[in-house]
Amino acid sequence: MFLFLYRTIKFAVQGFFRNFWLSLVTIIILVLTIFSITVVAGINVVAEQAIESVQDKIDVSIYFKPGVSEEEVINVRDRLQELSLVESVLYVSKSEALEKFRVQHQDDQIILDSIDQLEENPLSATIVVKANNLDDYPTILAVLENPEIDALVLDKNFDDNKLVISRLSDLSDKIKRVGIIISSIFVVIAILIVFNTIRINIYTHREEIAIMKLVGSSNWFVRVPFIFESIMYAIIAVIISVAILYPLLGLVAPQVSNFFDGYNLDLIEYASSNFLRIVGLQFAFAVILSVLSSSLAIGRYTRV
Amino acid sequence: MIRFRNVSKIYSPDIYALKNVSLHIKPGEFVSIVGQSGTGKTTIVKLIIAEEKASKGRVIIGDWDITDIKEREIPILRRQIGVIFQDFKLLPRKTVFENVSFGLEVAGVKQKKINDVVPQVLKIVGLGGKQERFPRQLSGGEQQRTAIARALVYRPKILVADEPTGNLDSINSQEIVSLLKKINQFGTTVVLVTHNREIVNSLRKRVITVDQGSIISDQKSGKYIL
Ligand SMILES: Nc1ncnc2c1ncn2[C@@H]1O[C@H](COP(=O)(O)OP(=O)(O)OP(=O)(O)O)[C@@H](O)[C@H]1O
Ligand SMILES: [Mg+2]
């Protein structure tokens, strides 16, 4: 068993270096495939994170008329909370609003003074509604149009957000569509590349495999070195891809962060905290791709 | 050693490569098989090494009826029969030494023994100083001698050569044939398939003549009769 492993690995290493240029071509093809798929995946991550962080910032605030009682406001809040589309409803009572106002303007004595002059709290109770999804806001707003509720409402900041919301859902749709198109293009390219690798493999190995069988190799002695050789391709391809991708990320990440200024989007942080997962996925992908393609080639030519 | 009992080989309904062939080659014999192109000589070789299966009849090597051999037993058979081809069939990515040692390596022979045996065999075939070369760096005769070394390294009881001189000039051909004779003198059964009249006539050994899939003559100390 040890002798078998030692010899098959030896044959694999020999095969790799004695056919250096073909090995190199195969590796380059693998690197390109890994590279393009990682880039598409990266774009997806950026898009998803961007949409998520923007989505987080969007909500609808409902300001109630001064005379509306706390009970009525809570009633509205409960009704909203029952909607499945709603992620959270935050109720800010009149006194809480005043408290906040004071904190916000603590350095401005004139304003604080004038607030104190007033007998009644001039601020209105507020409900802040967050939807699960961008597309759900129109539905929620429609619920608020209900005359029963509408009568209590002084103002909604809905109109300010309306534009942002519709733009964002447009944008997110577009990003998704483009992402799907780009991904499928790369998947097609990857399939073609795998096919070509199989063909190259068949071409270079068919004679060799036939001869090995003629001099009395068992099937395993023929197959295993090719499998090991393809695993070597995968390992080297992943190392090269990582060596290209990470410096590239260093260049691109600040631009991306600038573009999404104010949103929490640190690609380098993401890439380094997910390093093992990313490299692991790339490796799994490369090994499956190359082992599958060489197995297919071998399978066809190891029969007597 | 090699026995064909009423063997027919039908590649497709209209191609009868062999028709009802019976022959018996005894241990230690040197037999030439001659015949025109397309008469089934290579088919006989392929049946001996189980590259093809007989359509009818039985093929027996030693005591082993290989007519219905299982696929995983084929390597065991091939390690007992040395085969040489017209086009050498060397592994292009392996050196002379590795081409010869490959068969031993896949058979699980220890490295020490390989390092012992392979140079010996290479010396016998006259390739002593060229073991680190690749096949493309060798002449045709040298490539064929590498192939013979590969066939010999198992110490097979049978050596089958299918037109081993077909790609060589007459001097190289003579050398290969005298090598085969030497191997036969060591006790190995040699089956030589050839077109070469000169060689057959100079050998003065048993000659089997095949025509259109049948044996038409089998002479003890034969001549090339076609
Ligand atoms: N795999 C195959 N499929 C179909 N027909 C085949 C196959 N191999 C050989 N034949 C046919 O069987 C017949 C015998 O072929 P074989 O190779 O045994 O001839 P041969 O005597 O070795 O000829 P040559 O001297 O040219 O090498 C030929 O007619 C050939 O066309
Ligand atoms: Mg032939």
Side-chain angles (χ1 to χ4, degrees):
Chain A
M1 191 63 208
F2 172 74
L3 208 56
F4 174 81
L5 264 185
Y6 169 75
R7 281 182 178 157
T8 46
I9 290 174
K10 186 181 89 182
F11 292 155
V13 173
Q14 279 178 359
F16 181 89
F17 285 105
R18 300 235 172 115
N19 234 11
F20 187 73
W21 291 107
L22 194 68
S23 306
L24 201 69
V25 169
T26 312
I27 287 171
I28 289 171
I29 288 169
L30 268 177
V31 168
L32 284 177
T33 315
I34 295 171
F35 186 83
S36 47
I37 286 175
T38 311
V39 167
V40 169
I43 290 171
N44 266 335
V45 168
V46 171
E48 249 165 50
Q49 291 220 334
I51 288 167
E52 214 167 86
S53 60
V54 172
Q55 226 165 12
D56 255 12
K57 295 208 165 185
I58 284 191
D59 49 35
V60 175
S61 299
I62 304 151
Y63 304 96
F64 288 86
K65 289 177 180 161
V68 176
S69 72
E70 191 161 347
E71 214 172 304
E72 282 169 311
V73 175
I74 287 176
N75 198 15
V76 172
R77 185 193 70 176
D78 290 347
R79 277 181 67 171
L80 285 171
Q81 228 150 21
E82 275 163 26
L83 295 175
S84 61
L85 309 171
V86 172
E87 185 189 297
S88 67
V89 184
L90 182 71
Y91 166 55
V92 184
S93 69
K94 284 176 106 162
S95 46
E96 277 166 350
L98 185 63
E99 200 52 43
K100 257 194 194 161
F101 186 86
R102 280 186 199 279
V103 173
Q104 263 169 19
H105 297 273
Q106 59 186 337
D107 299 328
D108 198 334
Q109 200 55 47
I110 301 170
I111 291 183
L112 290 179
D113 282 348
S114 51
I115 282 272
D116 287 338
Q117 299 294 309
L118 296 168
E119 265 175 38
E120 228 176 84
N121 182 349
L123 296 171
S124 47
T126 318
I127 284 179
V128 182
V129 185
K130 242 184 209 179
N132 285 322
N133 218 305
L134 275 182
D135 307 328
D136 297 335
Y137 283 101
T139 323
I140 293 169
L141 291 167
V143 173
L144 296 173
E145 300 293 325
N146 179 337
E148 226 176 282
I149 299 175
D150 201 39
L152 310 172
V153 171
L154 175 72
D155 194 15
K156 295 173 287 210
N157 73 340
F158 151 65
D159 293 323
D160 315 345
N161 278 338
K162 194 174 176 183
L163 203 63
V164 181
I165 289 171
S166 74
R167 270 202 197 149
L168 249 179
S169 36
D170 259 18
L171 186 68
S172 81
D173 279 355
K174 262 184 206 146
I175 289 176
K176 263 181 210 149
R177 228 173 292 146
V178 172
I180 287 169
I181 291 170
I182 293 176
S183 305
S184 25
I185 289 173
F186 277 122
V187 166
V188 170
I189 291 174
I191 288 171
L192 289 177
I193 288 170
V194 175
F195 237 85
N196 200 43
T197 314
I198 295 173
R199 272 186 26 211
I200 293 173
N201 254 331
I202 288 173
Y203 185 78
T204 43
H205 296 322
R206 100 166 116 204
E207 196 89 328
E208 236 177 304
I209 290 168
I211 296 170
M212 289 176 178
K213 303 281 294 192
L214 278 176
V215 283
S217 282
S218 64
N219 272 333
W220 287 112
F221 243 112
V222 172
R223 283 176 194 167
V224 173
F226 289 118
I227 307 267
F228 282 159
E229 199 175 327
S230 61
I231 292 175
M232 280 173 69
Y233 293 151
I235 293 172
I236 295 172
V238 168
I239 292 172
I240 294 176
S241 307
V242 171
I244 296 173
L245 279 167
Y246 272 72
L248 200 71
L249 185 68
L251 290 177
V252 173
Q255 320 268 359
V256 175
S257 298
N258 272 345
F259 187 75
F260 293 100
D261 196 20
Y263 297 103
N264 168 32
L265 198 83
D266 191 344
L267 273 182
I268 293 180
E269 157 69 20
Y270 181 87
S272 45
S273 60
N274 289 290
F275 181 81
L276 277 182
R277 207 166 64 98
I278 293 171
V279 173
L281 277 175
Q282 287 180 336
F283 183 68
F285 175 78
V287 166
I288 288 171
L289 203 71
S290 57
V291 169
L292 201 74
S293 65
S294 61
S295 308
L296 269 171
I298 296 161
R300 282 178 66 169
Y301 288 98
T302 48
R303 308 253 135 235
V304 186
Chain B
M1 195 89 250
I2 301 171
R3 194 186 282 275
F4 277 41
R5 284 215 184 106
N6 306 99
V7 172
S8 294
K9 176 66 195 176
I10 307 163
Y11 284 110
S12 63
D14 52 332
I15 304 174
Y16 271 68
L18 292 178
K19 290 172 212 145
N20 202 24
V21 168
S22 295
L23 58 82
H24 181 207
I25 297 170
K26 291 192 224 35
E29 268 195 291
F30 192 125
V31 180
S32 303
I33 297 178
V34 300
Q36 273 163 355
S37 191
T39 53
K41 303 184 297 295
T42 298
T43 303
I44 291 175
V45 172
K46 286 181 173 171
L47 288 170
I48 292 173
I49 61 172
E51 205 182 332
E52 293 286 354
K53 284 203 156 104
S55 314
K56 283 184 200 142
R58 308 215 71 85
V59 178
I60 297 141
I61 306 294
D63 306 326
W64 190 1
D65 186 337
I66 61 157
T67 317
D68 302 310
I69 191 170
K70 293 194 185 69
E71 205 199 317
R72 66 185 156 75
E73 293 173 337
I74 290 176
I76 300 165
L77 173 71
R78 297 211 176 139
R79 285 170 205 164
Q80 294 171 24
I81 305 173
V83 199
I84 304 162
F85 305 91
Q86 180 173 355
D87 58 353
F88 320 137
K89 293 208 194 300
L90 298 174
L91 295 166
R93 298 198 291 171
K94 290 189 186 295
T95 63
V96 168
F97 185 93
E98 288 161 1
N99 262 288
V100 176
S101 64
F102 180 76
L104 294 176
E105 289 184 308
V106 301
V109 177
K110 294 228 159 58
Q111 196 62 42
K112 196 170 161 297
K113 177 113 192 269
I114 292 176
N115 291 339
D116 258 16
V117 170
V118 174
Q120 270 178 30
V121 176
L122 284 173
K123 216 157 127 202
I124 291 173
V125 300
L127 283 174
K130 293 174 174 158
Q131 39 177 287
E132 293 312 318
R133 297 219 197 156
F134 288 93
R136 61 169 184 280
Q137 300 165 327
L138 298 174
S139 73
E142 287 166 341
Q143 290 188 44
Q144 192 58 292
R145 277 183 273 159
T146 308
I148 293 173
R150 177 180 63 190
L152 285 183
V153 79
Y154 287 126
R155 303 188 180 282
K157 296 201 183 68
I158 301 170
L159 184 69
V160 183
D162 189 359
E163 306 201 27
T165 60
N167 276 330
L168 303 177
D169 59 36
S170 63
I171 294 174
N172 268 313
S173 299
Q174 283 302 335
E175 277 178 12
I176 296 295
V177 171
S178 45
L179 197 53
L180 292 179
K181 272 158 94 175
K182 203 157 101 188
I183 292 159
N184 177 239
Q185 278 158 18
F186 293 155
T188 307
T189 310
V190 176
V191 178
L192 170 67
V193 173
T194 184
H195 268 130
N196 194 315
R197 177 186 299 269
E198 260 177 80
I199 287 173
V200 174
N201 290 343
S202 71
L203 273 170
R204 281 188 289 274
K205 301 271 187 188
R206 181 176 168 193
V207 176
I208 295 173
T209 308
V210 183
D211 191 39
Q212 293 184 13
S214 304
I215 293 177
I216 56 163
S217 114
D218 186 344
Q219 293 175 303
K220 224 183 170 101
S221 177
K223 293 242 173 214
Y224 195 96
I225 58 164
L226 289 167

